[in-house]
Amino acid sequence: MSDNQMVLQSLDKGLLTITMNRPDRRNALNPDMTRGLVEAARRAQDDTEVRAVLIRGAGGTFCVGGDVKSMAEGRAPLPFEAKMANLRRGMEVSRILHQMPKPVVAQLDGAAAGAGLSIALSCDLRVAGASCKITTAFAKVGFSGDYGGTYFLTKMLGSAKARELYMMSPVLSAQEAYNLGMVSKVVPDADVEAETLELARSLAQGPSVALGYIKRNINNAETMTLEACFDGEAIHHTRAGETTDHKEAAKAFVEKRKPTFQGQ
């Protein structure tokens, strides 16, 4: 497969759908796929036509992480610095999805494991099918973790639970992950595609500038002081108040109708 076949992109009415497309390997990450994911994430970040992102896996599985089978085939080893640089380049997909001022939704079906789970955790919202299996997986294959999973899980659940989920590597059901706060919503397997798409489309049709500022405010809260977060909120709130979308929302409120947002 060429790069563009491994990571498919489809833009419709402001929603960019990114599909990991190695269903025969349960969308395990290899170099071509990681390059394609980074390219797709950068496109989502920079393309002004993109107002929200949906990331999913083909064939009924989100992503099982790195392609361990290929790793075990014993290819000629790269120097340490080259291996580290290649990994770090691929990990940019998680940073971009997490930091871009646009909402990102992950559709979790089948399994989300290892780096696949890390990518899902970098997103803003996660909709899981009821039978989806969720696990950090790294310790079971002798790895320590990548693609930001330790960062996202620690911020999401606290360090005690993150240590447990990484060191013990239990396989969680979708409901167990929901109970912990790792998943936004659990739906029947037959409905996961439609439910996730409906959620992502609603965000793509929302007040894009304000949603981007909301995401930035929450990201700021992970690292900044209270006063710095106050400053950021004041700036972003004021800027959002100058948008066409805010004016439309205020008018729609007075007229008792649903607003139509243009993302401006």
Side-chain angles (χ1 to χ4, degrees), residues 129-145:
S131 70
C132 183
K133 302 302 181 185
I134 295 169
T135 180
T136 60
F138 291 107
K140 292 182 178 179
V141 292
F143 278 129
S144 59

Side-chain angles (χ1 to χ4, degrees), residues 1 41 62 79 88 97 103 119 130 139 159 170 174 178 208 222 245 249 255-256:
M1 285 185 174
F62 181 71
R88 184 62 184 83
L97 293 177
I119 293 171
S159 63
Y178 174 81
S208 302
E222 294 177 339
D245 281 345
E255 297 174 355
K256 297 182 180 180

Side-chain angles (χ1 to χ4, degrees), residues 83-112:
K83 289 191 289 187
M84 186 175 68
N86 287 342
L87 177 59
R88 184 62 184 83
R89 278 193 294 270
M91 288 166 62
E92 279 292 281
V93 62
S94 294
R95 182 192 65 77
I96 296 168
L97 293 177
H98 183 66
Q99 293 183 344
M100 73 167 68
K102 302 173 185 181
V104 183
V105 182
Q107 174 186 316
L108 305 186
D109 41 9

